[in-house]
Amino acid sequence: MLVFIFFLTSCCLLNFFHSILQIHRFLSIFTFHQTIYFMRFTFLSVLSGIMLASLNSGCGGDQGKTGKITKGIWRAVIFTQGQELPFMMEIKDDSSGTQSVYLINGEERLNCGIITRAGDSIVFPMHIFDTKIIAYPEKETLAGYWVKNYVADYIIPFRAEFGKTYRFTPNPVNPVNPDGKWETVFANESDTTHAIGVFETEGAHLSGTFLLTSGDYRYLDGEVDGDSLRLSTFDGEHAYLFKARMSGDSMTGMYWSGKTWSQPWTAVKNNDAELPSMDSLTFLKPEYTKIDFSFPGLDGKPVTPDDEKFRGKVLILQVFGTWCPNCMDETIFMNDWYRKNRQRGVEILGLAFERKDDFAYASGRIRQMKEKLGVEYDFVIAGRSGAGSTAKALPMLEGMIAFPTAIIIDRNGNIRRIHTGFSGPGTGIYYERYIEEFVPYMDKLLSE
């Protein structure tokens, strides 16, 4: 009884704070409703998700329970590192009477799944990722938080407004033209990364991505306003923001990622810029003759490359994680190709490195991903993602630097190719080139 009284009192105190803040709002980037939702979420999440729903329902009044969210386009913003990181989303009504949320980045429309409710809050799932947006609806606004479930205290403020269709500014003017390829360096005290920026404009609208040896930054969308470039993306797992000033054939800018990471970057226009071949970065160490391992499958039973299922077949090993959007892109491509070619004597086996060293958690994430994407090939749990994890699990390989990595093994067990990273559909012509090279290469290998 004392515990119940404590919870009841706490809930009512939160609503008392709600009244006080109506008079004295925070002078900060947060709106009034973001501020009060933060107080509710921070306090109640310590107790439990179930208690959150029941307390909000018991003491929070009827706000946010008036029915469905307004369907259509919403302009959303994540507030992080003193920046506003915008993205677009769409709410759609389903034939079953439920609603789903779609994230919009450039040409991508990512169906994240069915919206649910918890008390006076709504919950947006984030596709295959172990993240979510919890928001408090009022009229045609949403205020709440983006949460990574697998990271302690990873809570970033979020706000959305219905009907706004611009990403950064409603009326950018006098845009410069950054079309083409840009040799790019991201650098701070702890890291230097070389990339190629690929940009295309239509009026003031800017789209493109950055190519890296480990993959790409997927679909970036934004604008050119005068000599200022702004690009962002949010796929449910990663939130990226790029800003730069362009002067002639050079750019100087900043890059923000998620809650804490940021880097200055510079770029020089160079339409002949190229990165090292993604087939030359990872290789078998000289003291080894083949790749070997024993990892548990989703049923807990050990799986090895020598199993009967793989014997005499071409085998593609996919180093993978459900937290990795580039891995999602590769999985969609590989699964489609596998469906069309599996009868020719080929198998794909995903080697999953998940965010927790817990078999039930990792296998659950894989099962959910397989169901969401309709993946027909098998996966094993290879370990926990993190520094040195792939080197420990696959000690015979040198230069394992990226998720995903595809290891192609012929019918005799010989490694024929190791492809680091994946240039996904957000890279446009580079994705098309990958397919144009991969398909005939595999046709030749399968004919041997």
Side-chain angles (χ1 to χ4, degrees), residues 68-104:
K68 292 184 177 180
I69 306 165
T70 305
K71 66 179 181 180
I73 301 296
W74 292 68
R75 180 181 185 265
V77 175
I78 291 172
F79 299 91
T80 181
Q81 302 186 61
Q83 301 294 316
E84 295 187 9
L85 192 159
F87 63 97
M88 310 304 294
M89 63 184 195
E90 184 176 9
I91 306 299
K92 288 187 175 183
D93 290 341
D94 300 332
S95 58
S96 62
T98 59
Q99 290 188 303
S100 294
V101 58
Y102 291 72
L103 299 180
I104 302 173

Side-chain angles (χ1 to χ4, degrees), residues 295 351-357 362 380-385 389 393:
F295 298 132
L351 311 183
F353 292 81
E354 293 302 305
R355 290 303 202 191
K356 293 183 181 180
D357 190 16
V380 296
I381 307 303
R384 178 178 179 175
S385 63
S389 59

